Amino acid sequence: MKDHVRSNWQNAVLVCRKCSKKVDGGFGPKGDQRLAKALRKHLALKKGRKAAAGIVEVGCLGICPRGAVTVVNGAQSRDWLLVRPGAALDGLAENLGLTP
Ligand code: FES
């Protein structure tokens, strides 16, 4: 068995799954998508490790903001973001360094 695999990810972004559930969607064109999915669609990312960046839902990150979703940018792990529903995905993608 191999001891490593390659991926195309330039960056990895962790999105709290539990926060996403709590705000019940809130993103995307109709405002009914979860943040991770809306961001992946917005950036037209491929699936899995073939994507240019990884946007991964993870368990509770221990911040638990009310009415926002905790997001960790793997490249800037010292500053975590609290993203409110309806936030502009363009601005968020830029903030996360995900724009081409
Ligand atoms: S529920 Fe998202 S950080 Fe705890």
Side-chain angles (χ1 to χ4, degrees), residues 16 18-19 22 60-64 70:
C16 173
K18 194 170 169 191
C19 287
K22 281 201 217 161
C60 174
L61 292 161
I63 307 295
C64 314
T70 309

Side-chain angles (χ1 to χ4, degrees), residues 11-54:
N11 192 5
V13 173
L14 313 180
V15 179
C16 173
R17 179 184 299 119
K18 194 170 169 191
C19 287
S20 300
K21 265 192 198 158
K22 281 201 217 161
V23 298
D24 195 20
F27 298 92
K30 292 188 202 153
D32 62 349
Q33 282 178 338
R34 295 155 72 114
L35 177 58
K37 186 173 182 182
L39 201 53
R40 271 188 231 116
K41 289 238 164 191
H42 184 75
L43 296 167
L45 291 175
K46 290 183 186 164
K47 297 221 167 170
R49 63 194 176 95
K50 306 268 182 197

Side-chain angles (χ1 to χ4, degrees), residues 11-12 24-25 42 44-46 63 66-67 71-72 75 83 90 92 94 96:
N11 192 5
D24 195 20
H42 184 75
L45 291 175
K46 290 183 186 164
I63 307 295
R66 280 184 193 225
V71 175
V72 179
V83 183
D90 275 332
L92 179 61
E94 201 171 304
L96 293 169

